[in-house]
Amino acid sequence: MPHHDLTLTPAGPAFAPRYREPHARTRPRPRTTVPTNPYRRLFATPGARAFTIGNLIARLPMGMFGVSAVIMIAGAYGSYALAGAVTATGMAATALVAPWTARLVDRHGQARVAVPATALAALGSLALLLCVHHRAPVWTLFAAYAATATCPNTGGMSRARWAHLHRGDPATLHTANAFEQAVDELCFMLGPVLAAFVCAALFPEAGTLIGAILLLTGVLVFAAQRSTEPPVTPRCATAPGSLLRVAGTVPLLGVFLATGAVFGAMEVVTLAHVDGPLAGPILALQATGSFVAGLVYGRTGRSVRLRTCLVAMTCLMTLPFLAASTGSLLALAAGLLVAGMATAPTLVTGMALVQRLTPPGRLNEGMTLAVTALLAGIAVGSATGGWTAENAPSTVYAFLVPATAAALALVRETTREAARKARKARETPETPETAPTRRTTVREMTEARRSS
């Protein structure tokens, strides 16, 4: 039965029908669903996919340049020693120049610095290509390859963007760091294979040429995404002086140095032990294990202590030695696959510590210092592993070098944590709640009774 309301009309009071609005339940509100997968949530951030694609294109050549240079120089000059010396010179130049490039990126912005720095590095690669093609004097090879040292740390710039976009969200930032480490492993796993393929299928200089094109194209795409670029911090607002003066930075770089020695030694020792066409695929299993572990570690949304990661790495790095002792390549492949699973979690946790110690306005510089320490460790580990493999009674004993380097990294991290706790105890003022309690002696109790 319809309801009526009493209303006033010109003729007098009258009843008028009551009209009801349709119930709200007839128009259900659209439900917004939040992705449960942490990686889907990560790339749901506006602009994240665009700068990630550009960064992937720019990072793939990082695994191509070294192999391409060796193939190109050794084929033209007939000397692997010369090829190794040229690439080692380029690595040393990068270790010196990269922190300064990163400081400029933090001070003036990624787009303003990364593009011209990458263009200069690409010109250096093209100059090396022309020098090799025309059989130029040897000294020109060193000069041309040293010019590539201006190449910016594309991985560090990508991590800086994630840190800017997800500041205050440790779980998402952990997933982003794990993804970046997995990308590093993927690029260094696919880069050498792609370089060797194009150099053999096309011409010896093809790897360097394609790498330079990919590098410049990727950085241009990456730098064009200005909406996700971290803001430039004024120079007066950042910590003055070198980051090496920041408390805890130097000990942490020592951990990265020893960790890099693990990677460098394992690569050379594995190549020396297998010594055949299967060396590359077997060695790639270590990067595969690290890639998978990095993605799984990122899904957890939380990190563990760096010392815990290094304990796991020290234990797992003994597996290749035990597997090589059996004389089975299949066992060695399995040992490298499992040992590689400790790599990505260790580097993800270490990079998170670097981000925590570094002032916000110099984040790219801090991560570049960590990468420089890793490169220096790789050089030391490669030299030590190669010398041990050549002079030891068997190449099996050379697998003890990466295990020893992992143990040194663990010792360094343990001493770093102890020093940090001691420094924190000195800086914390003593209060009645934190002051240590002391037992009252019998003599003090007797004197207290007499005085009372």
Side-chain angles (χ1 to χ4, degrees):
M1 182 175 181
H3 297 276
H4 295 79
D5 291 331
L6 182 63
T7 60
L8 295 176
T9 65
F15 287 98
R18 179 187 302 175
Y19 297 96
R20 291 184 178 181
E21 295 291 335
H23 201 274
R25 287 181 298 179
T26 60
R27 294 182 181 180
R29 295 180 179 179
R31 301 176 62 183
T32 58
T33 59
V34 179
T36 57
N37 189 314
Y39 291 104
R40 295 184 66 180
R41 290 200 306 268
L42 183 68
F43 289 105
T45 306
R49 297 183 181 181
F51 83 76
T52 301
I53 291 174
N55 198 266
L56 285 174
I57 298 173
R59 285 159 80 172
L60 181 60
M62 299 305 173
M64 298 176 59
F65 284 129
V67 175
S68 299
V70 169
I71 295 175
M72 180 174 60
I73 296 173
Y77 291 83
S79 173
Y80 280 97
L82 175 62
V86 171
T87 55
T89 301
M91 185 178 296
T94 301
L96 294 175
V97 177
W100 296 97
T101 305
R103 180 177 295 185
L104 292 175
V105 169
D106 288 330
R107 187 173 299 174
H108 302 288
Q110 293 183 355
R112 291 184 61 186
V113 177
V115 173
T118 303
L120 183 58
L123 289 176
S125 297
L126 295 179
L128 176 67
L129 185 153
L130 293 175
C131 290
V132 172
H133 183 75
H134 294 286
R135 306 297 193 277
V138 171
W139 68 266
T140 60
L141 307 183
F142 291 92
Y145 205 71
T148 63
T150 61
C151 181
N153 180 13
T154 52
M157 291 191 298
S158 182
R159 288 179 173 91
R161 293 203 179 201
W162 290 123
H164 166 64
L165 294 173
H166 299 288
R167 57 187 182 277
D169 188 356
T172 305
L173 188 57
H174 169 79
T175 303
N177 287 331
F179 171 77
E180 292 296 327
Q181 187 57 45
V183 169
D184 282 341
E185 301 295 340
L186 183 65
C187 291
F188 281 100
M189 182 172 56
L190 298 180
V193 178
L194 179 61
F197 173 77
V198 297
C199 288
L202 301 178
F203 48 91
E205 298 86 359
T208 301
L209 179 61
I210 294 176
I213 295 174
L214 289 175
L215 174 62
L216 186 58
T217 303
V219 170
L220 288 174
V221 174
F222 177 81
Q225 315 306 318
R226 303 300 294 269
S227 62
T228 56
E229 182 178 353
V232 178
T233 304
R235 185 175 181 180
C236 57
T238 60
S242 174
L243 287 181
L244 299 178
R245 299 180 181 178
V246 178
T249 300
V250 173
L252 185 58
L253 293 180
V255 176
F256 276 96
L257 181 69
T259 305
V262 176
F263 307 148
M266 185 64 75
E267 179 178 355
V268 173
V269 169
T270 302
L271 294 175
H273 179 76
V274 178
D275 192 20
L278 293 177
I282 290 178
L283 185 61
L285 289 175
Q286 183 184 3
T288 304
S290 180
F291 172 73
V292 174
L295 293 179
V296 174
Y297 189 54
R299 285 183 62 89
T300 61
R302 57 183 180 179
S303 60
V304 298
R305 297 171 62 184
L306 180 58
R307 188 171 64 178
T308 303
C309 296
L310 290 173
V311 168
M313 175 180 282
T314 303
C315 296
L316 293 181
M317 284 300 163
T318 61
L319 295 180
F321 169 72
L322 298 176
S325 302
T326 64
S328 171
L329 291 181
L330 184 61
L332 178 60
L336 287 172
L337 179 66
V338 178
M341 293 181 179
T343 301
T346 301
L347 293 179
V348 170
T349 308
M351 283 296 181
L353 285 177
V354 172
Q355 294 177 10
R356 197 178 308 165
L357 291 175
T358 306
R362 304 176 66 177
L363 191 57
N364 193 60
E365 181 183 355
M367 288 186 288
T368 302
L369 283 176
V371 173
T372 301
L374 279 174
L375 293 176
I378 290 174
V380 174
S382 300
T384 306
W387 184 89
T388 306
E390 187 173 344
N391 293 278
S394 172
T395 54
V396 174
Y397 295 102
F399 282 99
L400 293 174
V401 176
T404 303
L408 290 176
L410 175 60
V411 172
R412 193 71 187 92
E413 172 60 17
T414 303
T415 57
R416 188 192 71 85
E417 281 194 358
R420 180 183 61 84
K421 292 179 180 180
R423 184 174 62 253
K424 186 177 180 180
R426 290 193 304 266
E427 294 175 353
T428 304
E430 186 176 289
T431 62
E433 292 78 7
T434 60
T437 58
R438 184 175 60 87
R439 291 184 178 181
T440 306
T441 62
V442 176
R443 182 177 179 181
E444 290 174 344
M445 293 176 62
T446 305
E447 294 179 353
R449 290 175 182 174
R450 289 177 180 178
S451 61
S452 61

